[in-house]
């Protein structure tokens, strides 16, 4: 997350929607080295030295040396030689004055001390007070800062004084790149790593130190000097680069000559830092909320924890309050939020939502976490959220866990888990409530080299399942395994044997019959083997390595009748290349399918030997059954009786390296039809230039409970330059089976160099008969703030390859969107 400008208002005369960015993303946490027990290194303080001046003939230079050293004239044609630190050099067409009193330089005069230079038609330097009075075409250069005007008077060493009618440019060095950052082709250096530069003019500039500026009737902008599309105008503007804070009094934000907002008083950060204050207000519209305006206030409580209070006004529903707190230390981190709508004017009731997420390392192998979420009613996210991931949620987790890792090879975990099921009352779709786990205890182990080169593995579990309407019970499972990995550089073979034992103690409902105590013991035997062949090959004049990797997997599990067993947590695995090499076709622990089967697969890869990158990957695989499947998930689902499983094929390739192509196919040889087919291609020649299209198909299954639904989806996404600085961005995700738009995004972006305009419309299908439409509008001023509602998070989630057109930053490995 990127830092945002915070503003503090005393009053608002018009409307003040000015800040660094939208309030939907908070400033990042940066844990200082002191908090981690590391003291920051200290830089040596500079040492000031006395200075003096001497008279000289026409076009002469007076070099002022430390005490005891005489200055010698320098020819006008020769460049000034480097001066010792703290000494003063004066160069001009004519230099005169009194020894140890003052010096007057006239005609292209220049005074130099360390990294500070004074230039003007006339300079009068007073040695006793270390002051310089400059008139006529005055220019002061301090490091990367430049100020120019008709007259200035200041103390050279203390860097204090007054500048009349100045024009100025202030620049600060960039921040270093974060670890793991990468840049795409044609991608610019991220804005946060570019120099922070601003310029403007004023009636008067008061210099109050090396990094303190106070402007009277001044302006500030990050635009180019010859094209200031926007600027901040203030009666008094203070810039403190020691604290990296700016303050404006009586300010107005002007864009293209049009005043956008009046700021009676505001302060803002001058760099990437967090600061208490009002974050950028955001506004937009939607068919669910009407006019949507949010004003957040950010509390920077400490370097490692903060809080944000947001007031959200929705024209159709009323005023909502939201509070979000975050904290992070080397031992724990977490985030909590609570939002409350006292009176929804549409639903005529109060509504709320909240969440607590916390994880902690207690040390000595102990750790724990909490994840608890809840809403007041099932339609909360459908009515009040613009995120597809939230509007489609069915079950909200409510769980807490604690774990202990002992010896590095075994782990014990205890967990309490339940859910809030969101059953939409406006639809006929029935959502089953999951079982509660009160508690779930697990013990897992993985110990290599036990004896004779064998590896010992253990998966064990005790769960107490609770449900308000279904059969309840406790399940204890114990699954020890021994395997013998035999491996060389060319092939491997791994035989494995295990014993899966399960016991149930049930409390059946009055409408069910059966034993209350059940046991099941199943031996499981498997052999996994593979070979890797390699050869050198050549395509289009370039050398590559091609592999050929056959794999054979055998599995045997005897049959046990499980029709009387409850189904607490079992379901169907997705059929794919990973699943065909699994021991069970069912998830969970209530169903273990019988098996006597062989799985074969063949994979080939084309690898660039210079980078190790895969250019092409192709794979085929199929499972062959020696016996019929006899264990069903429930009485509604059929069992397999054929000898062949579905045929799987996949192919992916990267071309040139701007285009990626992926396809996968699942074919049913028994009925001679395609079960699933996916194909997609994405073209991304440069940063913020991406086009993608994909088509997904899954055959419609019968309507028996537990069977997956079929679909036919078309998904088109893209971000592309249009005309001039205009960019288009969009997504078209359509359910072809039901003939409806699942998600639609259409937007335009304009990069004005120092400002960006974004306008985006979003359509989300939240249920069978309900949709949500939102409008986002944002005007972002580079280095100063934005007005409107930011669509950036939504675009990054929904449009693969999306890039912020005025900022080349990209996420890096390990980045967490929540912190």
């Amino acid at each position: 997350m990127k830092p945002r400008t915070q503003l503090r208002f005393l009053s608002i005369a018009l409307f003040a929607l000015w800040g660094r960015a939208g309030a939907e993303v908070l400033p990042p946490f940066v844990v200082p080295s002191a908090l981690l027990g590391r003291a920051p290194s200290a830089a040596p303080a500079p040492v000031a030295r006395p200075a003096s001046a001497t008279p000289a003939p026409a076009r002469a230079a007076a070099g002022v040396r430390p005490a005891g050293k005489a200055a010698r004239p320098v020819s006008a044609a020769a460049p000034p030689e480097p001066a010792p630190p703290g000494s003063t050099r004066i160069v001009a067409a004519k230099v005169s004055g009194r020894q140890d009193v003052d010096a007057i330089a006239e005609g292209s005069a220049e005074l130099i001390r360390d990294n500070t230079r004074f230039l003007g038609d006339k300079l009068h330097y007073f040695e006793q007070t270390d002051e310089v009075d400059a008139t006529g075409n005055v220019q002061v250069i301090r490091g990367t800062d430049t100020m120019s005007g008709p007259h200035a008077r200041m103390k050279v060493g203390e860097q204090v004084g007054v500048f009349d009618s100045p024009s100025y440019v202030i620049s600060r060095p960039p921040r270093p790149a974060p670890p793991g950052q990468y840049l795409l082709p044609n991608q610019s250096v991220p804005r946060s790593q570019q120099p922070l530069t601003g310029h403007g003019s004023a009636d008067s500039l008061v210099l109050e130190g090396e990094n303190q500026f106070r402007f009277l009737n001044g302006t500030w902008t990050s635009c180019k000097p010859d094209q200031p599309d926007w600027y901040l105008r203030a009666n008094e503007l203070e810039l403190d680069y020691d604290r990296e804070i700016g303050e404006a009094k009586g300010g107005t934000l002007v864009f293209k000559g049009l005043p956008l907002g009046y700021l009676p008083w505001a302060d803002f950060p001058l760099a990437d830092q967090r600061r208490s204050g009002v974050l950028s207000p955001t506004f937009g519209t939607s068919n669910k909320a009407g006019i949507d305006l949010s004003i957040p206030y950010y509390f920077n409580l400490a370097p490692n924890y903060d809080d944000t209070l947001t007031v959200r006004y929705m024209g159709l529903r009323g005023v909502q309050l939201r509070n979000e707190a975050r904290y992070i230390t080397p031992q724990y981190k977490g985030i909590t939020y609570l939002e409350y709508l006292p009176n929804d004017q549409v639903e005529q009731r109060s509504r709320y939502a909240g969440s607590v997420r916390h994880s902690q390392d207690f040390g000595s192998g102990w750790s724990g976490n909490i994840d608890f979420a809840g809403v007041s009613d099932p339609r909360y996210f459908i009515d009040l959220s613009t995120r597809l991931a939230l509007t489609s949620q069915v079950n909200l987790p409510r769980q807490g866990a604690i774990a202990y890792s002992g010896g590095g090879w075994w782990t014990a975990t205890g967990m309490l888990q339940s859910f809030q099921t969101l059953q939409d009352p406006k639809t006929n779709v029935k959502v089953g409530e999951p079982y509660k786990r009160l508690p779930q205890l697990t013990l897992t182990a993985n110990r290599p080299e036990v004896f004779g080169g064998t590896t010992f593995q253990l998966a064990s579990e005790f769960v107490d399942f609770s449900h308000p309407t279904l059969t309840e019970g406790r399940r204890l499972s114990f699954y020890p395994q021994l395997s013998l990995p035999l491996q060389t550089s060319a092939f491997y073979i791994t035989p494995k044997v295990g014993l899966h034992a399960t016991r149930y103690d049930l409390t059946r409902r009055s409408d069910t019959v059966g034993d209350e105590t059940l046991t099941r013991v199943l031996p499981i035997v498997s052999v996994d083997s593979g070979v890797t062949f390699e050869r050198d090959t050549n395509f289009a004049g370039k050398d590559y390595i091609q592999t050929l990797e056959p794999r054979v997997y055998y599995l045997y599990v005897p049959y046990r009748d499980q029709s009387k067993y409850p189904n607490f947590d079992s379901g169907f695995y997705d059929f794919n290349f990973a699943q065909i090499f699994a021991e069970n076709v069912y998830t969970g622990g209530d169903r273990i399918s019988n098996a006597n089967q062989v799985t074969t697969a063949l994979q080939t890869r084309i690898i660039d030997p210079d980078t190790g990158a895969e250019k092409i990957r192709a794979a085929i695989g199929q499972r062959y059954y020696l016996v019929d499947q006899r264990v069903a998930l429930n009485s509604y689902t059929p069992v397999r009786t054929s000898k062949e499983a579905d045929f799987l094929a996949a192919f992916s390739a990267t071309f040139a390296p701007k285009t990626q192509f992926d396809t996968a196919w699942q074919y049913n040889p028994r009925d001679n039809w395609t079960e699933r087919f996916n194909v997609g291609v994405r073209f991304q020649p440069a940063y913020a230039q991406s086009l993608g299209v994909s088509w997904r198909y899954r055959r419609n299954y019968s309507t028996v409970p537990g069977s997956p639904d079929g679909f036919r989806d078309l998904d088109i996404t893209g971000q592309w330059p249009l005309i001039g600085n205009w960019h288009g961005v969009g997504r078209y995700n359509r359910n072809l089976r039901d003939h409806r738009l699942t998600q639609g995004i259409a937007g335009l972006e304009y990069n004005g160099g120092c400002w960006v305009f974004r306008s985006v419309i979003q359509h989300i299908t939240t249920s069978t008969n309900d949709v949500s439409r939102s409008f986002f509008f944002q005007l972002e001023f580079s280095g100063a703030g934005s007005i409107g509602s930011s669509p950036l998070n939504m675009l990054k989630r929904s449009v693969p390859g999306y890039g912020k057109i005025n900022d080349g930053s990209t996420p890096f490995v390990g980045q967490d969107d929540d912190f």
Side-chain angles (χ1 to χ4, degrees):
M1 292 180 301
K2 296 184 178 178
R4 300 292 187 250
T5 296
Q6 300 86 23
L7 307 175
R8 291 206 301 264
F9 298 88
L10 295 181
S11 63
I12 300 180
L14 298 176
F15 61 95
L17 301 179
W18 180 74
R20 244 185 140 80
E24 75 287 344
V25 178
L26 298 180
F29 279 127
V30 178
V31 181
S33 56
L35 191 62
L36 300 176
R38 300 190 298 269
S41 59
V47 178
R49 300 196 179 200
S52 61
T54 59
R59 195 53 197 169
V64 182
R65 307 292 183 182
K69 295 187 178 181
R72 61 184 179 87
V74 179
S75 171
E81 66 180 44
S87 63
T88 303
R89 178 186 297 276
I90 298 176
V91 179
K94 177 181 179 182
V95 179
S96 61
R98 294 168 291 178
Q99 180 71 34
D100 298 329
V101 178
D102 65 353
I104 300 174
E106 299 176 276
S108 301
E110 181 177 5
L111 183 148
I112 304 172
R113 182 188 297 176
D114 298 332
N115 67 338
T116 302
R117 298 171 61 199
F118 292 83
L119 297 93
D121 295 340
K122 180 179 179 180
L123 301 179
H124 192 173
Y125 176 70
F126 302 92
E127 184 175 354
Q128 300 297 323
T129 58
D130 194 28
E131 288 183 284
V132 60
D133 188 286
T135 57
N137 300 312
V138 179
Q139 190 175 34
V140 178
I141 302 173
R142 301 191 308 184
T144 56
D145 302 336
T146 301
M147 294 152 280
S148 59
H151 175 259
R153 184 181 181 96
M154 63 180 296
K155 292 188 176 182
V156 181
E158 297 180 15
Q159 301 286 304
V160 297
V162 178
F163 213 120
D164 296 334
S165 302
S167 297
Y168 68 92
V169 176
I170 300 175
S171 181
R172 288 299 177 267
R175 299 182 65 182
Q181 176 180 279
Y182 58 91
L183 300 179
L184 296 174
N186 296 336
Q187 180 181 355
S188 61
V189 176
R191 183 170 297 277
S192 60
Q193 297 161 38
Q194 298 176 5
L196 181 63
T197 302
H199 67 88
S201 60
D203 289 347
S204 177
L205 165 60
V206 180
L207 299 167
E208 299 176 333
E210 183 178 1
N211 291 309
Q212 283 79 37
F213 306 83
R214 182 159 58 92
F215 302 93
L216 303 179
N217 293 324
T219 64
W220 185 90
T221 180
S222 63
C223 295
K224 296 180 179 179
D226 58 345
Q227 191 178 3
D229 289 342
W230 70 267
Y231 58 89
L232 174 65
R233 182 176 60 214
N235 296 335
E236 185 173 342
L237 178 65
E238 296 185 12
L239 305 178
D240 186 342
Y241 284 93
D242 286 331
R243 296 187 301 147
E244 296 183 334
I245 294 173
E247 181 178 315
K249 298 177 182 179
T252 303
L253 182 62
V254 180
F255 176 68
K256 294 288 187 179
L258 176 66
L260 295 184
Y262 175 62
L263 309 173
W265 179 82
D267 68 349
F268 50 93
L270 296 173
D272 293 337
Q273 65 170 346
R274 297 181 294 125
R275 178 169 171 80
S276 298
V278 177
L279 294 172
S280 301
T282 65
F283 64 87
T285 62
S286 72
N287 65 320
K288 296 292 185 181
I291 296 175
D292 197 339
L293 171 65
S294 296
I295 302 177
Y297 190 92
Y298 177 72
F299 298 90
N300 182 28
L301 303 176
N304 61 314
Y305 59 91
D306 59 12
D307 188 270
T308 304
L309 178 64
T310 303
V311 179
R312 178 186 182 189
Y313 170 76
M314 294 171 283
L316 296 179
R317 299 185 179 272
V319 178
Q320 180 191 67
L321 298 178
R322 174 188 172 102
N323 191 79
E324 181 170 321
R326 307 180 305 171
Y327 51 92
I328 181 172
T329 73
Q331 290 77 36
Y332 59 85
K333 68 177 182 179
I335 179 170
T336 65
Y337 84 86
L338 175 65
E339 52 190 33
Y340 179 65
L341 181 60
N343 181 29
D344 188 330
Q345 298 173 4
V346 176
E347 297 290 331
Q348 297 299 318
R349 57 174 170 168
S350 61
R351 308 179 77 178
Y352 61 85
S355 172
V356 177
R357 293 166 53 194
H358 175 88
S359 60
Q360 183 160 352
D361 182 359
F362 298 102
S364 302
W366 290 92
S367 62
N369 65 81
I370 297 174
D371 187 357
F372 186 95
V375 294
S376 58
D377 57 273
R379 289 187 56 85
Y380 186 90
F381 293 127
I382 295 175
D383 293 339
L384 301 179
S385 178
T386 60
R387 290 183 55 182
L388 182 60
L390 292 179
T391 59
S392 59
Q393 281 195 116
V394 175
N395 294 303
L396 298 180
R398 297 177 174 183
Q399 64 185 44
I402 189 168
Y404 177 75
S405 297
W409 62 275
W410 64 271
T411 301
T413 304
M415 182 179 69
L416 300 174
Q417 182 187 63
S418 65
F419 299 90
Q420 180 184 7
T421 301
L422 307 183
Q423 171 67 61
D424 187 354
K426 295 185 179 182
T427 67
N428 295 322
V429 179
K430 300 298 181 182
V431 179
E433 180 179 347
Y435 275 90
K436 300 176 183 178
R437 302 168 187 259
L438 304 172
Q440 178 187 41
L441 307 176
T442 62
L443 176 64
T444 59
N446 188 344
R447 186 68 180 252
E449 301 293 336
V450 179
F451 51 86
T454 60
T455 296
F456 171 74
Q457 292 177 297
L458 173 66
S460 60
E461 178 187 55
F462 170 80
V463 190
D464 190 342
F465 292 99
S466 176
H467 199 281
T469 60
L470 301 178
T471 296
E472 301 178 328
R474 291 154 297 284
R475 185 184 71 200
L476 175 64
S477 61
F478 189 73
Y479 183 25
Q481 308 156 66
L482 276 179
S483 61
L484 180 60
L486 304 174
Q487 186 172 358
T488 68
S489 59
F491 74 91
Y492 69 90
I493 180 170
T494 306
K496 185 171 73 171
V497 60
L499 189 67
H500 199 295
T502 311
R503 175 188 171 90
Y504 290 89
D505 292 305
L506 305 176
T507 303
R508 297 188 179 273
R509 297 297 176 183
S510 58
D511 56 345
T512 61
V513 295
D515 297 334
E516 294 188 351
T517 300
L518 300 171
T519 59
R520 178 186 61 200
V521 179
L522 286 171
I524 299 177
V525 179
S526 66
V527 180
D528 192 6
S529 61
V531 183
T532 300
F533 300 98
E534 290 186 359
R535 70 166 185 167
D536 296 328
T537 187
N538 185 282
F539 289 103
K542 181 173 176 56
D543 293 330
Y544 292 96
I545 297 175
Q546 182 183 8
T547 69
L548 188 66
E549 305 167 45
R551 181 181 179 184
V552 179
Y553 176 74
Y554 174 76
L555 174 67
Y556 174 77
V557 183
Y559 168 73
R560 294 291 186 273
D561 183 9
Q562 300 166 48
S563 58
K564 302 298 183 182
Y565 286 47
N567 184 2
F568 294 134
D569 60 0
S570 284
F572 287 103
Y573 267 119
D574 186 30
F575 192 75
N576 52 42
F577 274 98
Q579 196 278 324
I580 62 176
F581 294 99
E583 295 180 351
N584 195 6
V585 299
Y586 300 119
T587 64
D590 295 314
R591 297 291 183 271
I592 301 178
S593 178
N594 63 296
N596 188 4
Q597 61 198 36
V598 177
T599 302
T600 61
L602 181 64
Q603 175 179 263
T604 183
R605 295 180 293 159
I606 303 296
I607 301 173
D608 187 335
D610 297 329
T611 64
E614 287 186 0
K615 297 299 182 180
I616 297 176
R617 176 194 289 260
I620 57 174
Q622 192 171 19
R623 180 188 290 164
Y624 300 92
Y625 302 104
L626 305 180
V627 298
D628 293 341
Q629 178 186 341
R630 302 174 61 186
V631 179
L633 183 65
N634 50 53
S635 60
Y636 302 101
T637 56
V639 294
R640 173 199 48 79
T641 57
S642 63
K643 301 302 181 183
E644 291 180 317
D646 293 347
F647 175 80
L648 295 177
F651 177 82
S652 63
T654 301
F655 303 102
K658 303 174 182 179
T659 304
Q660 294 178 330
F661 176 83
D662 290 279
T663 184
W665 182 39
Q666 179 182 341
Y667 175 72
N668 183 342
R670 304 173 301 279
D671 302 310
N672 297 320
W673 61 44
T674 295
E675 296 285 349
R676 290 193 301 181
F677 181 74
N678 305 332
V679 61
V681 61
R682 185 154 69 96
F683 175 62
Q684 188 169 2
Y687 179 77
Q689 297 181 22
S690 176
L691 296 174
V693 58
S694 63
W695 185 71
R696 301 186 308 152
Y697 165 81
R698 182 164 69 188
R699 189 182 67 85
N700 289 333
Y701 287 76
S702 61
T703 57
V704 295
S707 297
D709 295 328
F711 56 77
R712 292 191 303 275
D713 284 352
L714 176 65
D715 196 7
I716 302 174
T717 62
Q719 180 188 21
W720 201 258
L722 300 177
I723 300 174
N725 294 331
W726 287 95
H727 288 67
V729 60
R731 180 178 187 181
Y732 181 83
N733 182 236
R734 185 172 184 82
N735 186 328
L736 301 178
R737 188 193 67 173
D738 298 333
H739 305 288
R740 67 182 182 186
L741 185 64
T742 303
Q743 183 179 23
I745 296 173
L748 287 174
E749 301 178 292
Y750 181 83
N751 188 357
C754 60
W755 60 275
V756 173
F757 165 80
R758 297 182 181 93
S759 178
V760 179
I761 299 175
Q762 178 184 221
H763 170 107
I764 298 177
T765 299
T766 55
S767 62
T768 305
N769 302 313
D770 203 357
V771 299
S772 175
R773 297 185 182 92
S774 305
F775 174 71
F776 298 85
F777 165 86
Q778 185 185 40
L779 189 59
E780 179 182 341
F781 307 102
S782 300
S786 65
I787 62 174
S789 55
S790 173
L792 292 175
N793 279 351
M794 180 268 293
L795 293 175
K796 290 177 181 179
R797 289 191 301 264
S798 304
V799 181
Y802 174 81
K804 190 178 179 184
I805 60 175
N806 65 324
D807 188 350
S809 61
T810 56
F812 52 91
V813 176
Q815 178 170 320
D816 188 339
D817 288 341
D818 293 330
F819 290 90

